Amino acid sequence: MTFADLKSQSMKGQLDQKPNGERDKGLRFLSSRRWYPAAMALGILCLGLLVTVILLIIQLSQVSDLKQQQANRTHQEDILEGQISAQHQTERSSQESQRELKEMIETLAHKLDEKSKKLMELHHQNLNLQEALKKAANYSGIHPASNRPFQFPILDGVVSEETQLLMALGGWFSFDAPPV
């Protein structure tokens, strides 16, 4: 069907009359121009309703998006609060561990100081004993310069060997009296 066919049919319908000579009311109403303002008003009203419905759909979509964003933000805030709480807990445990470590270090340092003092005392005692042993070795036993026992190196050069022998055998020595 083409536009020309439709036009010719509508024209035939307008010309159709009832057998008693009256025109069809529906066709007469269509042929009069009184329905144009009503159709225009209805069209504008429908267009307005359509625009209103579209605007309401857009607003509903925006509200839905806002609710979703708010839900996402709330979820992110919950996650962030959990992370902050975990970080604070980690910091507290780290501080506690550092405090315990510091106490342990101080205790170990104190023990080390005590052991060092004790070691220094033992070292000084050892040095004193070594010095005493050296002095004792110089005053008794065999003189390193001779094979005779009971030599007194302190008297070397002052007293003769014969006098030293007398002293070793229990004799008395006097610088005033000649040896017997």
Side-chain angles (χ1 to χ4, degrees):
M1 243 189 187
T2 63
F3 179 72
D5 294 338
L6 285 174
K7 192 174 180 185
S8 68
Q9 282 182 355
S10 69
M11 294 297 265
K12 284 182 186 178
Q14 286 181 0
L15 298 176
D16 287 341
Q17 292 183 356
K18 287 188 178 178
N20 60 3
E22 293 181 10
R23 289 179 130 195
D24 191 12
K25 288 185 180 182
L27 293 177
R28 188 186 71 190
F29 179 74
L30 286 177
S31 65
S32 72
R33 302 248 177 214
R34 283 191 243 167
W35 63 273
Y36 284 122
M40 290 298 285
L42 274 173
I44 291 172
L45 184 64
C46 286
L47 185 62
L49 285 174
L50 182 66
V51 168
T52 304
V53 167
I54 289 173
L55 289 175
L56 286 174
I57 289 172
I58 289 172
Q59 285 179 348
L60 182 63
S61 172
Q62 288 174 348
V63 168
S64 175
D65 289 345
L66 287 175
K67 284 184 179 180
Q68 183 64 35
Q69 288 175 355
Q70 186 178 9
N72 288 344
R73 193 172 305 124
T74 303
H75 181 67
Q76 288 174 350
E77 287 173 355
D78 291 344
I79 291 173
L80 186 61
E81 286 176 8
Q83 289 174 345
I84 289 172
S85 175
Q87 185 178 8
H88 287 314
Q89 180 66 28
T90 303
E91 287 174 358
R92 275 188 243 123
S93 65
S94 174
Q95 288 172 352
E96 185 176 324
S97 296
Q98 286 178 349
R99 184 176 39 81
E100 290 174 359
L101 207 67
K102 186 177 179 181
E103 289 175 2
M104 288 174 57
I105 289 172
E106 288 173 356
T107 303
L108 289 173
H110 182 69
K111 286 181 180 180
L112 181 63
D113 284 344
E114 289 177 0
K115 298 286 182 180
S116 295
K117 287 178 183 177
K118 195 177 271 188
L119 183 64
M120 288 300 290
E121 285 179 25
L122 290 173
H123 181 69
H124 285 300
Q125 287 178 357
N126 190 13
L127 288 176
N128 289 340
L129 286 173
Q130 284 178 357
E131 192 174 307
L133 283 174
K134 283 182 184 178
K135 285 182 182 178
N138 287 337
Y139 292 117
S140 65
I142 299 175
H143 188 275
S146 82
N147 291 335
R148 293 187 193 161
F150 306 109
Q151 295 289 321
F152 300 98
I154 199 164
L155 300 175
D156 283 350
V158 177
V159 180
S160 68
E161 287 185 26
E162 296 169 0
T163 309
Q164 286 183 16
L165 185 58
L166 282 175
M167 287 174 62
L169 295 175
W172 292 95
F173 174 74
S174 168
F175 288 106
D176 298 333
V180 183

